[in-house]
Amino acid sequence: MEVPEPAPELVVSEWLNTDDPPTLLRLRGQVVVIEAFQMLCPGCVAHGLPQAQRVQATFGTDLVVLGLHTVFEHHAAMTPVALAAFLHEYRITFPVGVDASQPDDDIPVTMRRYGLRGTPSLLLVDRSGRLRANVFGQIDDLALGASLARLLAEPAGAED
Amino acid sequence: MEVPEPAPELVVSEWLNTDDPPTLLRLRGQVVVIEAFQMLCPGCVAHGLPQAQRVQATFGTDLVVLGLHTVFEHHAAMTPVALAAFLHEYRITFPVGVDASQPDDDIPVTMRRYGLRGTPSLLLVDRSGRLRANVFGQIDDLALGASLARLLAEPAGAED
Amino acid sequence: MEVPEPAPELVVSEWLNTDDPPTLLRLRGQVVVIEAFQMLCPGCVAHGLPQAQRVQATFGTDLVVLGLHTVFEHHAAMTPVALAAFLHEYRITFPVGVDASQPDDDIPVTMRRYGLRGTPSLLLVDRSGRLRANVFGQIDDLALGASLARLLAEPAGAED
Amino acid sequence: MEVPEPAPELVVSEWLNTDDPPTLLRLRGQVVVIEAFQMLCPGCVAHGLPQAQRVQATFGTDLVVLGLHTVFEHHAAMTPVALAAFLHEYRITFPVGVDASQPDDDIPVTMRRYGLRGTPSLLLVDRSGRLRANVFGQIDDLALGASLARLLAEPAGAED
């Protein structure tokens, strides 16, 4: 098994659903679940985001659920204003960051850093800030629940 | 049973998915199914639009399926540019008209004319151009299939 | 289009859910929907029987829904006693006939007569007693609703 | 939190899907998931048993999945012969025990011992043979996956 890498910091131009913009550095010590999505991606709407909401409902304050809006197509459609309306209509209440764009690149910064293959992608960060999973597409709830319980059981910094 | 009213003409500022903008007047003689929706309405995405796609797939050229984007909230989010991206991602291929906005009114023109209560709403227009159903919310496929078969069986202009 | 055949009479050894055993002859003048199933057939439990229940709920007394228990495997398991418990647990309230068995044949009599390929199979009989559809497997609700509306619109004996 | 009780031994009159009848005593050291069901219980067929199959598929040989046929109604319908046909048709491959009946009691022996409220019920037994969960009805996959991972992480006999 490969040694887990430190999870790259999120580079976000704007946060919604929070007045206190999170960073992975400040969340050190907690398990962080990041749902990378696009608001007009059917698989995100049908599977990825509802699963992130179920994680939030099931695990409550034991872990942190974040959304990351990694727009890599239809940029003119998926603006922060549109995203805010989307989050309202779909009752998404966890903090969602807009992945920062960069000149001459359709792929936003954090998406590049993590090497995401598309949306939805699920990222799991352990209490020590290391990236433990980076899964493109659907993942079933039984396996995800087990992974989260295992991460929650690890002491912070234990394997540093 | 009440006498059916003529279906008000659609007032559309822009059509997508067609080079030949339809009007109810020109479609006289055909059964027309109109799915009134908003791209950020969860019930439209989960139920209304997939049902309209199933109608298109099941009845083919026997009838005409149209979408009507009746934006009455989040206007800055649900622009024509965003709608075009949405239709592309959700593989919606039937013509979709953008219901015309008017000054000082959140409700667009056609939505007012039909007295729609919200989205999704399904409108059925018979071969004589009369409004035969105006249903807000979900309608089940068995009942809809039966309604469509009955409308298709009517001769054009028969009850005029 | 081929000329429809008269629907063979049902050969039933026992009826459940009714004190007045139906025959196709006596139902002449009505549209009859027959769901041929086995109680231990997963596709029947998941799709066929719920659809027959939806037809009953949607069309009410406009047509007649019947079940036909065409046991062609696991005969010792799917006895009339077991069937009665099954109908109770699954809240199936339309009349269900036990397709008659015959010596030295795993396939029951009515199933043979109709040449059914397996279960579930849906049979549609028109007001004149003719077999208008014999579909093995899943059929979608929109198409079925349309077929039923067309049969209901036909006058009894019109095409005799 | 209450101290977990030893899980009562299963009292089974007949095992299907195995030539080597399991006992909880012999499974000591392993996490055991027991799905208590009745073959004619709609909630078992729609939810409980498919979940047990998903547990088997997801966790493989890390734990042991068992079925327990706890017939407390329709005894004449849910015989071992009928159960064998049911398991075949629904592709259930884990061992299933027939909960032993006793004279003058509709409730079978193991069901009484565990105080089950009905079917489906999910029982979780830890590596030390203690009953850690006894849940009637539906339990969601995320929570179950987490519970199983926690039980799997416990050393055998650790809390004895």
Side-chain angles (χ1 to χ4, degrees), chain B residues 3-9 24 28 114 125-126 128-132:
Chain B
V3 176
E5 303 276 335
E9 187 54 84
L24 292 186
R28 197 67 57 84
Y114 279 82
V125 180
D126 69 16
S128 302
R130 295 169 310 182
L131 183 62
R132 298 293 286 275

Side-chain angles (χ1 to χ4, degrees), chain D residues 43-118:
Chain D
C44 302
V45 170
H47 302 292
L49 289 164
Q51 185 175 59
Q53 290 174 302
R54 288 195 301 274
V55 169
Q56 182 188 28
T58 301
F59 291 92
T61 56
D62 288 347
L63 48 71
V64 174
V65 177
L66 300 178
L68 184 66
H69 199 222
T70 53
V71 180
F72 63 90
E73 57 190 344
H74 308 301
H75 295 79
M78 295 190 273
T79 61
V81 164
L83 176 62
F86 173 84
L87 298 180
H88 175 80
E89 289 301 316
Y90 281 88
R91 314 273 189 269
I92 293 169
T93 59
F94 47 75
V96 174
V98 176
D99 195 359
S101 60
Q102 51 192 339
D104 302 320
D105 192 352
D106 278 347
I107 312 285
V109 177
T110 316
M111 188 172 186
R112 278 258 179 251
R113 285 191 178 185
Y114 279 81
L116 302 187
R117 295 166 52 206

Side-chain angles (χ1 to χ4, degrees), chain C residues 57-82:
Chain C
T58 301
F59 290 92
T61 56
D62 288 346
L63 48 70
V64 174
V65 177
L66 300 178
L68 183 67
H69 199 222
T70 52
V71 180
F72 62 90
E73 56 189 345
H74 307 303
H75 295 79
M78 296 190 270
T79 61
V81 163

Side-chain angles (χ1 to χ4, degrees), chain A residues 39-43 45-46 73-74 76-79 81-86 88-90, chain B residues 39-43 45-46 73-74 76-79 81-86 88-90:
Chain A
M39 58 175 279
L40 295 184
C41 146
V45 170
E73 57 188 344
H74 308 301
M78 295 190 271
T79 61
V81 164
L83 176 61
F86 173 82
H88 174 81
E89 289 301 317
Y90 280 87
Chain B
M39 58 176 279
L40 295 184
C41 146
V45 170
E73 57 189 344
H74 308 302
M78 295 190 270
T79 61
V81 163
L83 176 62
F86 172 83
H88 175 81
E89 289 301 317
Y90 280 87

Side-chain angles (χ1 to χ4, degrees), chain C residues 23-35:
Chain C
T23 65
L24 291 184
L25 184 61
R26 280 182 43 217
L27 292 172
R28 198 67 57 82
Q30 298 199 68
V31 173
V32 183
V33 176
I34 303 170
E35 181 72 30

Side-chain angles (χ1 to χ4, degrees), chain C residues 2-71:
Chain C
E2 59 186 325
V3 177
E5 303 275 336
E9 187 55 83
L10 308 175
V11 184
V12 161
S13 54
E14 183 175 346
W15 283 94
L16 292 88
N17 284 345
T18 179
D19 293 326
D20 184 19
T23 65
L24 291 184
L25 184 61
R26 280 182 43 217
L27 292 172
R28 198 67 57 82
Q30 298 199 68
V31 173
V32 183
V33 176
I34 303 170
E35 181 72 30
F37 73 101
Q38 295 183 105
M39 59 174 281
L40 294 184
C41 147
C44 303
V45 170
H47 302 292
L49 288 164
Q51 184 175 58
Q53 290 175 302
R54 288 195 301 275
V55 168
Q56 181 187 29
T58 301
F59 290 92
T61 56
D62 288 346
L63 48 70
V64 174
V65 177
L66 300 178
L68 183 67
H69 199 222
T70 52
V71 180

Side-chain angles (χ1 to χ4, degrees), chain D residues 14 20 23 25-26 28 34 48 50 52 62 73 79 82 85 87 99 108 111 113-114 118-119 132 152 154 160:
Chain D
E14 182 176 346
D20 184 20
T23 66
L25 185 60
R26 282 184 40 218
R28 196 67 58 84
I34 303 170
D62 288 347
E73 57 190 344
T79 61
L87 298 180
D99 195 359
M111 188 172 186
R113 285 191 178 185
Y114 279 81
T119 54
R132 298 292 285 274
L152 287 169
E154 294 179 2
D160 269 17

